[in-house]
Amino acid sequence: MSTITEVKQRISQAYQENCVNSEVAPNKALIRFLEEPEAEKETFNLIFRGNHKLNFSSRLCDEDVILLSAAVEPYAEYVSHVDFSYNLISDTGINSLARLLSAIPNLESINLQGNQIEIDGAKVLAEHIKDKNTVEYINLNLNNIQTDGVLQIVLVLFNNKALRELHLADNKIDHDGISGIMSVLGWHNNTLEVLNVDNANYTSIGQEIAIHIAKMLQTNRGLEKLSLRKHALNSEGLYTITEHLLDNNKLRVLDLSCNKLTYKGCEHLGKFILSDNCVLESLNLANNRTGHYGAKAMALALSKNKTLMHLDMTTNDIDDDGL
């Protein structure tokens, strides 16, 4: 039986041969990673982060990914995690990578954060991984998959009951994309535990999405962490959400930072925090507009709440009396 070190060396050799045949200069940083010795174990993690200090000037481009994917595929059974975050992978490279991901029998996580994946790439990726019921973690933050792309990723939530974390922040997702995600989580998926949809791109009034988020939280019984940073959410929209949250006894972490919440939003949150169903442990309200009266509303709620362990109200114009 081959050791992991031997497998990686074979992959390195195959990759370099593919480069020669394609008349492409090999990525020396990638070769260095492939030729690093591994401890004795059954699988290895295919990790090449473009923001690492040793890889910063040697980020993976599409040609690297295409040639590497062909080299890795015969040894797909040895891979469990793939992390190509902060590289230069576009829709051209994602086609080959998606085929590799579908060939990995025990794939557990996919991290493609900070690349150049767009709508077509997201569709190809979703098609290849929608039936991969071993995948527990997907991170597509900081790409450009937009609503058409995210609606394809939503298909993964229909089919994959093993998925625990999904990160889709900073992808220019509009109202239809967010409502699509919330609809699936409200009616079809109760196994996802962490969802990040920060910085949505609404062309309509942002508060229209609040009812979709609210209805999801009312019926979903799996989600434990929800991040809604930069949704232009105001206190009226938060009222809708908190009224439905009164029926939720699962959510433990809620990030509402960088919105437009005033002291009225704190009053609505206070009602939820004081409810019998509240199990919230962490609440982030940083960079809102809560002010003195928001601090007062939260203080009243905190005096009786027994679950909250972390509260962030940084940059909210809270004066000395509020503190």
Side-chain angles (χ1 to χ4, degrees):
M1 181 178 177
S2 300
T3 66
I4 293 299
T5 297
E6 291 171 340
V7 169
K8 288 180 63 179
Q9 289 174 346
R10 292 174 190 167
I11 293 172
S12 176
Q13 183 178 357
Y15 165 68
Q16 292 179 69
E17 290 174 354
N18 290 343
C19 289
V20 171
N21 294 335
S22 301
E23 298 182 345
V24 172
N27 186 315
K28 293 181 179 180
L30 179 57
I31 294 172
R32 182 179 62 245
F33 158 71
L34 292 172
E35 295 185 350
E36 287 178 351
E38 289 275 356
E40 290 188 15
K41 51 187 179 180
E42 294 182 358
T43 62
F44 75 100
N45 301 329
L46 194 58
I47 298 176
F48 191 94
R49 300 187 181 105
N51 61 345
H52 189 280
K53 62 182 180 180
L54 296 178
N55 304 333
F56 192 79
S57 60
S58 303
R59 299 174 191 251
L60 298 179
C61 65
D62 288 329
E63 288 181 333
D64 292 325
V65 171
I66 292 169
L67 299 177
L68 176 63
S69 297
V72 174
E73 191 164 344
Y75 306 96
E77 63 185 289
Y78 294 98
V79 180
S80 54
H81 301 273
V82 175
D83 184 346
F84 288 161
S85 54
Y86 296 103
N87 282 288
L88 304 172
I89 305 169
S90 73
D91 289 0
T92 301
I94 209 68
N95 284 277
S96 297
L97 181 57
R99 288 195 297 270
L100 170 62
L101 295 174
S102 68
I104 299 175
N106 298 305
L107 183 64
E108 295 180 29
S109 71
I110 304 167
N111 189 350
L112 296 174
Q113 178 176 355
N115 278 280
Q116 300 169 1
I117 303 168
E118 299 188 8
I119 296 172
D120 290 341
K123 291 179 178 179
V124 170
L125 181 63
E127 182 63 30
H128 281 81
I129 66 173
K130 66 180 182 181
D131 296 319
K132 297 291 293 183
N133 287 317
T134 58
V135 177
E136 298 181 0
Y137 175 95
I138 297 175
N139 190 339
L140 292 171
N141 288 349
L142 291 165
N143 280 282
N144 189 29
I145 67 175
Q146 302 181 48
T147 291
D148 287 347
V150 81
L151 290 177
Q152 297 300 312
I153 299 297
V154 165
L155 294 176
V156 178
L157 290 174
F158 268 103
N159 298 328
N160 187 337
K161 303 308 178 187
L163 190 63
R164 296 293 177 263
E165 288 196 38
L166 179 60
H167 299 262
L168 296 170
D170 296 281
N171 268 293
K172 298 181 181 178
I173 304 170
D174 65 17
H175 174 281
D176 292 341
I178 297 296
S179 63
I181 296 169
M182 299 304 160
S183 177
V184 173
L185 290 176
W187 302 104
H188 300 286
N189 185 299
N190 279 294
T191 54
L192 191 73
E193 297 174 358
V194 179
L195 175 65
N196 181 349
V197 285
D198 292 345
N199 199 16
N201 187 36
Y202 300 131
T203 54
S204 58
I205 300 173
Q207 312 324 306
E208 293 179 4
I209 201 64
I211 187 61
H212 298 286
I213 297 171
K215 288 182 177 179
M216 180 277 290
L217 290 170
Q218 185 177 36
T219 58
N220 181 276
R221 291 298 177 264
L223 203 63
E224 296 185 7
K225 180 177 180 180
L226 175 62
S227 190
L228 297 170
R229 299 177 73 249
K230 297 183 179 180
H231 277 249
L233 189 66
N234 65 21
S235 296
E236 182 181 349
L238 184 58
Y239 170 77
T240 302
I241 292 173
T242 53
E243 285 296 295
H244 288 74
L245 262 176
L246 294 173
D247 295 325
N248 184 298
N249 61 357
K250 192 70 175 178
L251 192 68
R252 298 182 184 277
V253 179
L254 179 60
D255 190 340
L256 296 170
S257 57
C258 303
N259 280 288
K260 298 180 179 180
L261 305 177
T262 66
Y263 73 94
K264 290 185 178 180
C266 290
E267 291 176 346
H268 303 324
L269 281 168
K271 180 180 178 182
F272 165 59
I273 290 172
L274 289 171
S275 68
D276 292 336
N277 269 354
C278 178
V279 294
L280 205 64
E281 297 175 1
S282 177
L283 175 61
N284 191 343
L285 294 173
N287 294 289
N288 278 284
R289 307 168 181 177
T290 62
H292 168 82
Y293 291 104
K296 182 178 180 180
M298 292 307 298
L300 291 172
L302 290 172
S303 67
K304 297 181 180 180
N305 175 273
K306 296 181 180 180
T307 64
L308 202 65
M309 296 186 287
H310 169 257
L311 174 65
D312 189 343
M313 296 186 72
T314 308
T315 317
N316 268 286
D317 294 324
I318 297 174
D319 58 16
D320 289 348
D321 290 337
L323 183 59

